[in-house]
Amino acid sequence: MKLTMELIERRLEEYRGELVAEFELADIENLDEIEEIATKEGYEVWFDSNDNLLTFTKQD
């Protein structure tokens, strides 16, 4: 899957007072590109190799 900012924003949910979106790492084709774009858009990006998840947290 080619991940876009639109997809990230549609998947955002409130979790413990923060807006968070999670995706399966294995499904993402453009990992480096989307990490760079998301960081510029004010997101913190987390990789969890144990759960194979990529998490975007919207910063205020």
Side-chain angles (χ1 to χ4, degrees):
M1 155 181 28
K2 185 165 174 113
L3 195 55
T4 64
M5 290 307 301
E6 182 180 333
L7 287 172
I8 293 169
E9 290 170 358
R10 277 195 276 165
R11 192 170 292 184
L12 284 173
E13 295 179 359
E14 188 164 339
Y15 177 74
R16 295 185 182 180
E18 295 182 311
L19 291 174
V20 176
E22 290 185 335
F23 297 87
E24 293 285 330
L25 272 171
D27 294 340
I28 300 171
E29 298 170 6
N30 60 329
L31 187 57
D32 292 335
E33 174 190 353
I34 197 62
E35 178 186 13
E36 183 178 332
I37 293 169
T39 301
K40 288 179 183 175
E41 292 288 328
Y43 287 82
E44 196 166 333
V45 183
W46 299 91
F47 300 95
D48 185 341
S49 58
N50 292 329
D51 292 330
N52 198 31
L53 290 177
L54 177 64
T55 303
F56 296 88
T57 304
K58 182 67 175 167
Q59 301 299 300
D60 293 330

